[in-house]
Amino acid sequence: MNKTLAEIIAGVIPHKMERNRWRGILRYGLFKAMRLMRQMKRDHTTPRYYLAVCAIAKNEGPYFKEWIDWHLSKGVEKFYIYDNESTDCTKEVLAPYIESGIVDYTFFPGHRRQLAAYDDCLDRHRTDARWIAFIDLDEFIVPVQDRTIPEFLNRFEDFPAVEINWLIYGSGGAEKKLPGTMMERFKCHSKPEHPLNRHVKSIVNPRRVFTMTGCHEATRISGYAADSHGAPIKKNFRDREPQQDVIRINHYAVRSYEEFLEKQARGRASGTQKTVKSEYFDKYDLNDIRED
């Protein structure tokens, strides 16, 4: 079913959570959804990986090494990387990770390809990993109360998905790109309760979701997703207070102003483009708290 028709049908459902779920199911396709439910009931394949990450990127080559190495140190075993027509050093930076088998690389051209990449990842790797996190290259999963992300996820085996809140990091006043990693260079972040931090990213059990509704939430086959405290989610993320005390996602939304302009100029794999650049930068350049 095409997106427009799915939006029209789902739009008559009054409850926001159910509306979003049915929006995802209709976009995925009713007959395809029924086939998948039957298939997953019969499938008892042991996953090869406990935790994988899926991401689509466009010209993010300089940032890949830090991002991959951080998540490897926190328990990620596999990366499904979709390259949306990069023309920078992406392939060269990824080469050793591809050769070692850590990265599964897919060239994925076209416009507005983020959800298509997520669909492809789930269709191809649904039984390969116990959990798949869907995040971007400017997002770092940071376990706060656990040493690793798998230690956190071990408490969520009964849930089809876990939603983790952002903590937005600003530029810290940096105009130019300077040497060093993102986590070294940007130490200032928003107040934890800032409304933008209500946004979430999802780590899903691929056997128990149809697809991603958007870049934030998963379309579940059954059951409720959990928040980071382990409570079943019954409200849309925009209607919940953010949680960052157990686990969080450091979101380096703008980096330095020079890097922000470069990112805007090259376009986004999601297909979205911020037309008023200064307004977006000002909105996300949040530097209320400096961490040691």
Side-chain angles (χ1 to χ4, degrees):
M1 181 177 294
N2 66 49
K3 183 177 180 180
T4 302
L5 187 55
E7 290 290 332
I8 292 171
I9 296 174
V12 303
I13 300 173
H15 190 270
K16 188 183 294 184
M17 292 286 290
E18 278 304 303
R19 181 166 67 246
N20 285 346
R21 181 167 179 262
W22 275 99
R23 180 181 290 118
I25 292 172
L26 293 170
R27 188 181 67 81
Y28 186 73
L30 286 174
F31 292 111
K32 187 178 177 183
M34 289 186 288
R35 286 197 302 270
L36 179 62
M37 287 190 291
R38 290 194 296 267
Q39 177 186 345
M40 289 299 100
K41 284 181 180 180
R42 297 192 300 264
D43 193 289
H44 301 290
T45 305
T46 301
R48 184 176 179 183
Y49 310 106
Y50 186 74
L51 175 59
V53 166
C54 175
I56 183 168
K58 186 181 183 73
N59 290 332
E60 296 274 7
Y63 304 99
F64 260 112
K65 186 178 189 307
E66 177 191 3
W67 183 82
I68 290 176
D69 289 350
W70 168 265
H71 287 101
L72 284 173
S73 75
K74 298 304 175 184
V76 175
E77 300 167 83
K78 187 74 172 181
F79 298 82
Y80 303 118
I81 302 300
Y82 289 78
D83 181 357
N84 186 222
E85 301 180 341
S86 295
T87 56
D88 65 352
C89 60
T90 289
K91 195 68 181 289
E92 290 76 15
V93 173
L94 290 178
Y97 299 105
I98 297 170
E99 185 176 349
S100 67
I102 292 171
V103 165
D104 184 301
Y105 173 89
T106 302
F107 186 71
F108 211 67
H111 182 61
R112 298 184 68 87
R113 297 289 277 163
Q114 186 173 37
L115 289 183
Y118 291 172
D119 288 346
D120 184 78
C121 181
L122 285 168
D123 286 343
R124 291 172 55 196
H125 304 294
R126 198 175 292 277
T127 60
D128 294 338
R130 175 62 180 80
W131 295 99
I132 301 178
F134 291 88
I135 58 175
D136 297 326
L137 266 290
D138 57 4
E139 297 172 330
F140 290 66
I141 304 174
V142 180
V144 177
Q145 291 189 3
D146 300 280
R147 291 183 304 110
T148 67
I149 305 165
E151 285 183 12
F152 165 79
L153 290 172
N154 283 338
R155 302 193 292 274
F156 293 82
E157 295 288 333
D158 292 335
F159 290 95
V162 185
E163 296 182 5
I164 302 173
N165 284 104
W166 280 351
L167 183 63
I168 295 175
Y169 281 70
S171 70
E175 292 286 334
K176 300 291 184 180
K177 181 180 180 180
L178 299 174
T181 66
M182 276 194 294
M183 299 186 90
E184 291 169 345
R185 291 188 290 137
F186 304 113
K187 296 290 189 178
C188 297
H189 60 72
S190 62
K191 294 178 181 178
E193 67 272 15
H194 193 284
L196 284 175
N197 289 326
R198 294 184 179 188
H199 284 79
V200 297
K201 287 300 179 76
S202 293
I203 306 178
V204 312
N205 176 349
R207 286 178 168 83
R208 294 186 61 189
V209 301
F210 294 116
T211 185
M212 295 295 290
T213 305
C215 63
H216 300 288
E217 302 166 296
T219 302
R220 308 170 313 281
I221 292 176
S222 62
Y224 289 101
D227 65 23
S228 63
H229 289 174
I233 293 172
K234 298 183 181 181
K235 291 182 180 180
N236 183 266
F237 65 84
R238 292 180 177 85
D239 301 321
R240 309 192 309 263
E241 292 303 311
Q243 302 169 345
Q244 297 114 349
D245 57 326
V246 178
I247 194 169
R248 68 176 189 254
I249 291 179
N250 286 11
H251 185 201
Y252 299 92
V254 296
R255 302 170 181 149
S256 68
Y257 192 64
E258 178 182 49
E259 291 166 280
F260 168 75
L261 292 179
E262 289 175 353
K263 184 173 183 178
Q264 292 290 306
R266 67 179 177 253
R268 297 152 65 93
S270 63
T272 58
Q273 180 68 38
K274 307 302 179 184
T275 55
V276 185
K277 296 177 181 178
S278 61
E279 288 184 6
Y280 181 87
F281 186 87
D282 292 342
K283 182 178 180 180
Y284 282 85
D285 187 24
L286 301 173
N287 303 284
D288 302 297
I289 298 171
R290 181 176 178 83
E291 59 187 26
D292 295 330

